[in-house]
Structures are given as C-alpha cells and as structure tokens.
Amino acid sequence: MRYQRVIPGKFLSRPNRFIALVEVGGETVVAHVKNTGRCKELLVPGVTVYLQRADAPARKTLYDLIAVEKGSLLINMDAQAPNKVFAEWARSGVLSGLTLLRPETTWGSSRFDFYWESAAEKGFVEVKGVTLERDGGAYFPDAPTERGVKHLKELAAARQQGYQAAVCFVIQMKGVDFFSPNDETHPEFGDTLRMAARSGVDIWAYDCLVTPDTLSIDAGVPVRLT
C-alpha cells in the first residue's frame, strides 16, 4: 500500500491516545494517531515521525501520524494498514487456489477480519498488527486485549467445526528475529494463542518492508510460543 503527501516531523507529545503534537518546519501541528495502543516505547519526545496530510480539509486534524523511527527501525504504526496489506498479499497469489477473500465476516459471536474460499477449503483469518519490538523480537499485544482473546477462542471453535483458521501477525517493521506473544503484558492472550495452536489454528507471522510512504508484507518470521 502507498500513502500520499507524506512529510517528516519531530514528535513532541501525545495529549491523549487520539492526537499527537508534532513539530513540522518550526511549527507545531496536531496529528491524528492512527493507533490507539500505548506505543510508549515508540512515541518518545524528539523522535522522527512521518505524517500524511489528510484529504478532507475540514477535518480538525490535518495530518495522520503513520510511522516512527526507533533507532535503526522504521515502524509503521497505522492500525488500519495490516488488514489492507494482508488483502493485497493474499490476492497476489501467495494463498494457493484462492477463489474468494471477503473482509469483515461474522461467525458465531465474532466478526473475523477475513473469510476465504478455495476449490477445496474455506476458512477464516484474523489479522493483528504488531508494532512492539524488544531486543530483536516482535511481540503482541502491547496492551491487554480481551477482544483478541475472544477472537482466538472463536478461531479454535471454527477449526473444530471443519473450517481452516489462522491468525496472521503483521509485523509493521523489518529486522526482527522472531515473533512471540507478550505474556508479560497479557498472559491470558499468550495462553489462549497456545491453546488455539494446539486446536489446529495456524499461527502466521510476517514482517514488512517499510518506507515513509509504503508498506508491504515481505517474509515469514519464526514464531516462538514458549
């Protein structure tokens, strides 16, 4: 996926989870943060961030904060991006025999990110964006997520009903060595992810090629569940 009208800036502060103050060309602008997670290790005063100018001139915030530099890493932190790049990736032919890929499909009490069909199978995929990096590893979640736990349980239930099921962790950066659940922050999510894997749910993790104005899924990353 590609962004338009991207400019760099210096992060100043985050008054609340929805907005950030950013210095651009010597002036302070207000930007919408397209990620409501904590992101405390990313949004540190003085770091370089990248803003996309919004299409709607009547918006209260004229910019969206979409990426941030963390040392040598460039991390996309647009929470809407993982689903978009997953759809592009899946439709590019990497999912063999795909005949249907439908977003936002309800099954049971959950709405999964994607439902797919091939000539022989059908299944569900839940996509999770990953922005937390620590000592070369990528971790999810960066804050407790009861919704994420619910989705994993529903994926396991769908698998038991004969559907294929997968959770795809889209790591919004390049350069990590592995992916692992963040048991320190949310032990229940890690325990449920391991339960889902034992139930036959596929656990995928892919890193991304990131530039200030592009994002695309690149390569598989080893998954460490223990």
Side-chain angles (χ1 to χ4, degrees), residues 17 23 67 75 170:
R17 63 179 182 154
E23 180 184 325
I75 302 175
V170 176

Side-chain angles (χ1 to χ4, degrees), residues 155-175:
L155 283 173
R159 187 71 185 92
Q160 295 304 306
Q161 291 295 318
Y163 291 93
Q164 296 298 314
V167 55
C168 183
F169 294 96
V170 176
I171 301 166
Q172 294 167 256
M173 67 194 86
K174 186 72 180 176

Side-chain angles (χ1 to χ4, degrees), residues 149-216:
V149 169
K150 177 185 175 185
H151 282 151
L152 293 176
K153 291 178 179 178
E154 290 281 358
L155 283 173
R159 187 71 185 92
Q160 295 304 306
Q161 291 295 318
Y163 291 93
Q164 296 298 314
V167 55
C168 183
F169 294 96
V170 176
I171 301 166
Q172 294 167 256
M173 67 194 86
K174 186 72 180 176
V176 298
D177 299 320
F178 64 90
F179 166 80
S180 186
N182 190 2
D183 291 303
E184 180 180 330
T185 295
H186 195 181
E188 185 184 7
F189 181 88
D191 290 343
T192 308
L193 184 65
R194 287 182 278 271
M195 177 278 295
R198 291 193 299 269
S199 301
V201 176
D202 291 323
I203 313 299
W204 302 337
Y206 289 89
D207 65 14
C208 289
L209 297 175
V210 185
T211 72
D213 60 357
T214 64
L215 182 72
S216 60

Side-chain angles (χ1 to χ4, degrees), residues 5-7 22 24 29 31 49-53 63-65:
R5 302 174 302 281
V6 175
I7 60 173
V22 179
V24 176
V29 302
V49 295
Y50 294 90
L51 309 180
Q52 175 180 238
R53 188 173 180 88
Y63 297 94
D64 292 315
L65 195 160

Side-chain angles (χ1 to χ4, degrees), residues 33-84:
V33 180
K34 299 189 75 174
N35 189 319
T36 57
R38 292 175 177 172
C39 304
K40 290 182 178 180
E41 78 288 350
L42 298 179
L43 296 180
V44 178
V47 299
T48 298
V49 295
Y50 294 90
L51 309 180
Q52 175 180 238
R53 188 173 180 88
D55 288 324
R59 264 185 35 167
K60 292 182 179 179
T61 54
L62 295 182
Y63 297 94
D64 292 315
L65 195 160
I66 57 173
V68 58
E69 292 182 2
K70 181 189 178 189
S72 62
L73 296 176
L74 177 59
I75 302 175
N76 178 288
M77 52 180 294
D78 178 357
Q80 298 174 6
N83 281 30
K84 294 178 182 179

